[in-house]
Amino acid sequence: MAERDSELMLRGYGLTTAEFFYRMPDFRSVLNSFVWQAMDLAPDYPELFRFIEFWHERIEGPLHSVRFTHRRMIGPGEWRNQVGEFTV
């Protein structure tokens, strides 16, 4: 999993964190929250929108609102290949 995440980061993906506020199916006046994280590609956010579509199709609690943030963990200019070994 860590190797896959590193490869995604080198291709421009970053960590997207979203907080979903939704209404309870039986108690429409009650708001709950759900936090979701995934590696996603800005500015289109295909994974986030795929999850929102899944929510609309499969989850009974209707969405009230979604807040999200995105942070690239590493950029192509930040990656350097180091060759060498230190023995202690």
Side-chain angles (χ1 to χ4, degrees), residues 68-87:
F68 73 96
T69 184
H70 178 82
R71 172 79 169 116
R72 285 187 62 182
M73 307 299 277
I74 188 172
E78 298 173 23
W79 177 260
R80 293 182 298 169
N81 184 20
Q82 297 291 328
V83 178
E85 182 176 333
F86 296 100
T87 306

Side-chain angles (χ1 to χ4, degrees), residues 8 22 33 51 62 65 85:
L8 288 175
Y22 64 98
S33 67
F51 184 76
S65 58
E85 182 176 333

Side-chain angles (χ1 to χ4, degrees), residues 1 5 8 12 20 27 36 46-47 83:
M1 179 86 163
D5 287 344
L8 288 175
F20 294 84
F27 304 98
W36 173 89
E47 296 297 323
V83 178

Side-chain angles (χ1 to χ4, degrees), residues 36-51:
W36 173 89
Q37 284 187 326
M39 297 299 286
D40 211 350
L41 188 59
D44 296 329
Y45 304 105
E47 296 297 323
L48 176 62
F49 286 110
R50 190 173 299 123
F51 184 76

